[in-house]
């Protein structure tokens, strides 16, 4: 026998489950049934693809049995099973960084944490909510040895060699005081119906049924061992839409997603034509915990003619759709399709393309028909939609219609189509502003002229906006322009502005001389109303924010940031500067015009000391 310590994270998770989930104890059964179902799926697949297991004949099933006297609940599957190494890896550590990340987000506040944990598959360890000890006896398919894992859910577990007639896993829960109520056949029947009715394999319940015999005084009860099937065990997605109720869809969602909230939406599609397949996709009402984790777990399972093939294939759908949960079931793929060839498979890629088209269409009609629900969707998934804009070129048009924006004109969210409808008659493009938090963008001097002319600007405050919108310059036939760029403002210029430009030419030249290679150019601005100056970037240069991101990502050899400085011809400071002779004060003022504009854009100053000395020299003359 060998004794092992749980990895620290497991210990943490165990404590958390026990403390946060006491009002949801019953989900332990769903978790264990789901593990058994996965184990059956995996073995079924291997009997089709693995030469060593092709001869194995097996009828997948899960048996649950109750022993009231011993107060135990036992789940036994004839699935893939585990060897010693698997046991240590699976029931002793947490490999996924998504889980670790989840744990680090916890606050210690039980109420808040239990909300969080609801979106997260707690898995096997939830058994310790209802059991004071858990024994796992398991044998891996194709191997001779069996193993027994046992733990009381404190900081350690033990493993020893054991006996099992055949492959599979038996989990014995020694129920604690809280768990006693689960040693009841009606309770288990109720829970299986509630959480696991649509598990694809039959679940049998074995218990002692009380039967009565005899009449009158001779009437006696006796206990008769009884076994009955307690779930429907069909592929729900193969049934017709008309036959299925909302409740059926929701139940199935919960059984495949570990989520206990209802899904936001689902789309059930049967395609019959050149290709025959069924898809059932769900959108969770809360974005999955690991959505922005590199090792996220994909949520869509692939089946071929109802046989499970894989739940770990990230290429089934475009990456930006990784929040979807559900099933793809193809009639055309060969059953023994190996995972390696899945990625280049033509049929799958056709299913993928068609599924994405269909989904985009459904989302579009949701956006038109049920605003409230659509905004919920946007609240959770706007950012991944933008990722789609960047990575899924073929669907860019459709995605541009689905993404929502903040705006200087309306509260809440707006679409590009709506912003386009609101365009002023003289307005030449749809304007966007990127590169900061919502508050800093809304305060940007770059917005001044647009505000004055009552032109809408869309506020893009997601970190990725910078990169995503760099490559998008049109919405339908309308230009999409970032107002941080030098070129914009040109079409907002009028006659008077051209006069001013001529007038100020000497001043501009003087400032340019003083600032030297700190700037790419100095220009008269047509976009400022209140501020004396602002910086913009050349049309082909990366924006200030993007340069910062590139630097933060360790990109070396970046050319020094050279902005274009624009000065406001109507600002009193600029007007006064025209009168000022060249000299120390003029130089200080020129640099301060540049440095204040950099600060507002969130660019750290190269030398704060020089800036402060300059500011003090100027103040000294003023007070
Ligand atoms: P999850 O199911 O989310 O991966 P769990 O904590 O529930 O997490 O289970 C951890 C792992 O233990 C599973 O991924 C699986 O490899 C293994 N496991 C659990 N139960 C079984 C079982 N009945 N048969 C085979 N393997 C199992």
């Amino acid at each position: 026998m060998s004794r092992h310590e749980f990895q620290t994270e497991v210990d943490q998770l165990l404590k958390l489950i026990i403390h946060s989930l006491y009002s949801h104890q019953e989900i332990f059964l769903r978790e264990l049934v789901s593990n058994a179902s996965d184990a059956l799926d995996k073995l079924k697949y291997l009997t089709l693809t693995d030469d060593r297991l092709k001869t194995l004949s097996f009828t997948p099933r899960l048996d649950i049995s109750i022993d009231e006297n011993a107060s135990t609940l036992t789940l036994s599957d004839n699935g893939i099973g585990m060897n010693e190494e698997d046991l240590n890896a699976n029931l002793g550590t947490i490999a996924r960084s998504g889980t670790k990340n989840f744990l680090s987000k916890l606050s210690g506040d039980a109420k808040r944490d239990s909300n969080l944990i609801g979106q997260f598959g707690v898995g096997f360890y939830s058994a310790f909510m209802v059991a004071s000890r858990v024994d796992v006896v398991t044998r891996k398919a194709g191997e001779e040895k069996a193993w027994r894992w046992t733990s009381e859910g404190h900081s350690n577990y033990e493993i020893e060699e054991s006996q099992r007639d055949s492959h599979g896993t038996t989990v014995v829960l020694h129920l604690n005081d809280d768990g006693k109520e689960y040693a009841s056949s009606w309770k288990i029947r109720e829970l299986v119906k509630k959480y696991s009715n649509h598990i694809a394999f039959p679940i049998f319940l074995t218990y002692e049924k009380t039967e009565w015999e005899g009449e009158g005084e001779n009437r006696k009860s006796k206990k008769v061992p009884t076994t009955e099937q307690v779930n429907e065990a069909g592929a729900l997605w193969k049934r017709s839409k008309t036959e299925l109720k909302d409740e059926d869809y929701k139940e199935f969602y919960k059984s495949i997603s570990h989520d206990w909230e209802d899904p936001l939406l689902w789309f059930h599609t049967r395609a019959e034509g050149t290709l025959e397949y069924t898809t059932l996709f769900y959108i969770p009402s809360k974005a999955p915990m690991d959505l922005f984790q590199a090792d996220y777990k994909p949520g869509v399972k692939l089946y071929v003619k109802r046989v499970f093939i894989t739940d770990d294939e990230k290429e089934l759908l475009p990456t930006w759709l990784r929040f979807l949960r559900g099933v793809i079931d193809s009639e055309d793929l060969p059953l023994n399709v190996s995972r390696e060839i899945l990625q280049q498979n033509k049929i799958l890629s056709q299913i993928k393309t068609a599924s994405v088209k269909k989904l985009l269409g459904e989302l579009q009609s949701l956006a038109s028909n049920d605003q409230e629900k659509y905004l919920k969707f946007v609240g959770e998934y706007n950012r991944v939609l933008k990722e789609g804009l960047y990575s899924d070129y073929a669907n860019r048009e459709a995605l541009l219609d689905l993404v929502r924006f903040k705006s200087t004109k309306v509260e809440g969210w707006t679409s590009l189509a709506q912003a386009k409808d609101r365009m002023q008659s003289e307005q030449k493009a749809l304007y966007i502003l990127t590169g900061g938090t919502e508050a800093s963008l809304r305060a940007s001097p770059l917005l001044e002229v647009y505000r004055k002319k009552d032109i809408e600007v869309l506020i893009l405050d997601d970190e990725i906006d910078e990169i995503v919108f760099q490559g998008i310059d049109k919405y339908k036939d309308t230009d999409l322009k970032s107002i941080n760029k030098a070129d914009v403002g040109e079409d907002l210029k009028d006659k008077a502005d051209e006069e001013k430009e001529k007038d100020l030419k000497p001043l501009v030249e003087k400032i340019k001389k003083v600032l030297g290679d700190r700037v790419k150019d100095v220009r008269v601005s047509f976009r400022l109303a209140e501020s004396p100056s602002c910086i913009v970037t050349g049309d082909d240069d990366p924006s200030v924010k993007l340069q910062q991101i590139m630097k933060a990502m360790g990109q070396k050899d970046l050319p020094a940031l050279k902005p274009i400085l624009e000065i406001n011809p109507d600002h009193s400071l600029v007007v006064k500067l025209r009168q000022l002779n060249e000299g120390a004060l003029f130089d200080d003022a020129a640099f301060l015009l540049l440095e204040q504009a950099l600060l507002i854009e969130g660019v750290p100053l190269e030398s704060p000391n020089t800036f402060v000395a300059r500011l003090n020299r100027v103040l000294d003359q003023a007070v």
Side-chain angles (χ1 to χ4, degrees):
M1 169 157 34
S2 58
R3 203 181 157 90
H4 308 262
E5 297 288 313
F6 282 121
Q7 186 194 27
T8 335
E9 281 86 1
V10 176
D11 217 27
Q12 228 179 328
L13 185 60
L14 271 167
K15 290 206 178 75
L16 175 80
I17 291 170
I18 292 166
H19 289 115
S20 313
L21 283 181
Y22 48 81
S23 53
H24 297 281
Q25 269 170 358
E26 61 187 34
I27 60 135
F28 82 92
L29 191 69
R30 175 193 80 181
E31 299 293 315
L32 295 180
V33 169
S34 152
N35 281 346
S37 163
D38 290 348
L40 294 167
D41 272 337
K42 283 181 195 156
L43 184 57
K44 184 119 192 246
Y45 174 75
L46 287 179
T47 59
L48 297 164
T49 52
D50 187 326
D51 285 338
R52 289 178 310 136
L53 294 171
K54 271 191 176 146
T55 50
L56 189 117
S57 91
F58 105 111
T59 314
R61 64 182 276 164
L62 168 62
D63 282 278
I64 303 180
S65 55
I66 295 168
D67 184 335
E68 263 181 82
N69 294 328
S71 196
T72 58
L73 182 66
T74 302
L75 287 91
S76 183
D77 65 66
N78 59 351
I80 180 126
M82 288 176 275
N83 59 23
E84 188 182 17
E85 203 183 322
D86 296 336
L87 276 172
N88 278 313
N90 298 335
L91 303 186
T93 61
I94 295 176
R96 229 177 265 288
S97 69
T99 312
K100 292 185 187 167
N101 182 55
F102 161 78
L103 287 168
S104 70
K105 281 207 187 112
L106 297 173
S107 60
D109 168 5
K111 192 144 178 243
R112 214 189 128 237
D113 291 349
S114 67
N115 280 338
L116 269 182
I117 208 169
Q119 307 160 40
F120 168 84
V122 287
F124 173 81
Y125 303 109
S126 59
F128 288 102
M129 288 190 292
V130 297
S132 54
R133 199 178 92 214
V134 178
D135 300 328
V136 178
V137 177
T138 179
R139 183 172 143 193
K140 190 161 184 165
E143 297 186 12
E144 292 305 315
K145 279 188 185 167
W147 300 91
R148 180 172 173 278
W149 176 102
T150 182
S151 174
E152 292 177 357
H154 301 313
S155 49
N156 55 61
Y157 61 93
E158 281 162 11
I159 294 183
E160 64 186 343
E161 219 181 304
S162 181
Q163 295 294 316
R164 202 178 190 283
D165 287 343
S166 174
H167 56 85
T169 300
T170 303
V171 179
V172 185
L173 308 183
H174 300 269
L175 298 169
N176 60 21
D177 284 345
D178 279 346
K180 285 220 159 56
E181 60 172 311
Y182 300 103
S184 135
S185 60
W186 69 260
K187 184 85 198 172
I188 297 297
R189 206 179 290 117
E190 173 198 280
L191 290 182
V192 170
K193 282 251 176 299
K194 180 165 168 193
Y195 292 114
S196 315
N197 203 19
H198 299 292
I199 290 287
F201 306 106
I203 302 174
F204 295 97
L205 179 63
T206 300
Y207 61 102
E208 304 232 288
K209 194 173 184 173
T210 310
E211 281 183 0
W212 296 90
E213 55 185 21
E215 294 289 322
E217 287 188 355
N218 292 329
R219 196 169 147 82
K220 282 194 307 217
S221 74
K222 68 171 186 180
K223 300 264 187 186
V224 187
T226 310
T227 297
E228 65 188 51
Q229 185 173 338
V230 280
N231 69 330
E232 271 181 39
L236 170 126
W237 60 90
K238 283 291 191 184
R239 286 161 54 189
S240 87
K241 277 194 209 184
T242 47
E243 198 188 307
L244 289 163
K245 295 196 215 53
D246 282 2
E247 275 318 307
D248 296 321
Y249 281 113
K250 289 180 191 172
E251 257 178 33
F252 180 63
Y253 168 73
K254 288 177 186 168
S255 78
I256 59 166
S257 69
H258 299 275
D259 193 349
W260 62 47
E261 278 184 43
D262 287 341
L264 185 67
L265 292 168
W266 58 86
F267 312 107
H268 189 184
T269 309
R270 176 169 300 165
E272 277 156 348
T274 33
L275 284 184
E276 221 178 298
Y277 61 88
T278 305
T279 55
L280 173 53
F281 295 129
Y282 291 94
I283 299 180
S285 40
K286 291 241 172 58
M289 294 302 295
D290 60 359
L291 189 59
F292 294 105
Q293 218 76 48
D295 63 348
Y296 69 90
K297 194 169 163 53
V300 173
K301 301 182 192 227
L302 176 68
Y303 286 75
V304 172
K305 302 183 190 80
R306 297 184 191 211
V307 176
F308 168 84
I309 305 294
T310 175
D311 61 358
D312 202 18
E313 175 49 62
K314 295 187 171 175
E315 305 287 322
L316 292 178
L317 289 171
T319 326
W320 66 270
L321 279 167
R322 62 188 176 277
F323 58 86
L324 286 184
R325 300 291 176 256
V327 170
I328 297 177
D329 190 351
S330 158
E331 296 294 318
D332 308 300
L333 284 168
L335 264 178
N336 59 358
V337 59
S338 83
R339 284 182 196 156
E340 291 67 42
I341 68 158
L342 276 180
Q343 298 193 359
Q344 309 121 36
N345 189 279
K346 264 221 179 96
I347 295 171
L348 263 186
S349 94
Q350 281 171 311
I351 295 179
K352 178 169 165 177
T353 310
S355 296
V356 178
K357 281 253 150 17
K358 175 94 185 149
L359 212 87
L360 289 168
E362 297 274 5
L363 286 172
Q364 192 54 55
S365 63
L366 182 76
S368 325
N369 303 327
D370 189 343
Q371 276 237 6
E372 198 186 324
K373 215 173 209 177
Y374 190 70
L375 289 184
K376 271 193 196 154
F377 169 76
V378 165
E380 296 293 318
Y381 303 107
N382 208 35
R383 198 170 143 194
V384 274
L385 292 183
K386 290 179 187 168
E387 235 184 273
L389 279 179
Y390 181 75
S391 59
D392 190 352
Y393 192 80
N395 293 304
R396 181 172 281 183
E397 285 293 305
L399 280 162
L400 270 178
D401 271 319
L402 291 173
V403 170
R404 292 292 178 266
F405 301 82
K406 291 169 185 161
S407 149
T408 54
K409 271 285 181 70
V410 291
E411 294 259 314
W413 296 105
T414 185
S415 66
L416 285 177
Q418 290 163 334
K420 194 174 157 172
D421 282 346
R422 284 190 293 265
M423 278 171 77
Q424 308 280 17
S425 53
E426 80 276 16
Q427 189 179 339
K428 298 243 164 48
L430 282 166
Y431 296 111
I432 62 172
L433 178 58
T434 58
T437 61
E438 181 175 357
S440 74
L441 293 176
R442 286 193 186 277
S444 169
L446 298 176
L447 287 173
E448 291 169 7
V449 71
Y450 301 92
R451 206 174 290 132
K452 203 166 86 187
K453 303 208 168 188
D454 201 29
I455 288 175
E456 176 166 12
V457 177
L458 301 172
I459 303 287
L460 278 76
D461 62 346
D462 256 331
E463 184 100 313
I464 62 167
D465 289 334
E466 206 54 40
I467 295 165
V468 171
F469 287 89
Q470 175 99 332
I472 301 177
D473 53 11
K474 271 206 186 310
Y475 167 66
K476 307 221 157 116
D477 51 359
T478 308
D479 286 341
L480 204 60
K481 285 193 173 178
S482 165
I483 68 167
N484 330 48
K485 293 285 179 180
D487 160 37
V488 181
E490 289 294 305
D491 61 326
L492 301 171
K493 209 152 92 173
D494 44 40
K495 271 253 140 41
D497 290 328
E498 279 170 25
E499 285 298 308
K500 287 177 192 160
E501 199 169 17
K502 235 186 258 160
D503 256 19
L504 281 177
K505 194 135 201 232
L507 176 63
V508 163
E509 290 304 324
K510 263 160 63 180
I511 296 178
K512 217 190 282 188
K513 212 169 87 194
V514 172
L515 297 180
D517 62 359
R518 287 283 301 277
V519 290
K520 190 168 180 177
D521 198 8
V522 179
R523 293 177 191 172
V524 175
S525 186
F526 309 107
R527 58 181 113 210
L528 295 172
E530 292 102 43
S531 308
S533 63
C534 66
I535 54 161
V536 292
T537 39
D539 290 331
D540 301 322
D541 293 343
S543 70
V544 175
K545 186 79 191 177
L546 190 57
Q547 297 193 37
Q548 284 178 325
I549 294 175
M550 282 160 27
K551 219 182 238 163
M553 281 166 35
Q555 199 149 321
K556 299 228 170 64
D557 312 323
L558 284 174
L561 177 77
K562 272 201 198 169
I564 296 169
L565 176 68
E566 290 194 358
I567 55 169
N568 179 355
D570 301 321
H571 196 278
S572 61
L573 183 56
V574 174
V575 174
K576 284 182 188 160
L577 271 183
R578 283 179 69 182
Q579 324 295 340
L580 192 65
N581 288 328
E582 277 173 66
L585 181 59
F586 184 92
D587 292 0
D588 280 341
F591 274 107
L592 285 174
L593 281 177
L594 172 65
E595 285 165 348
Q596 63 171 296
L598 286 169
L599 280 174
I600 284 187
E601 280 294 304
V603 184
L605 297 179
E606 267 168 39
S607 165
N609 290 336
T610 323
F611 166 74
V612 169
R614 220 185 316 271
L615 186 63
N616 286 332
R617 278 199 299 273
V618 174
L619 276 177
D620 199 38
Q621 307 219 10
V623 292

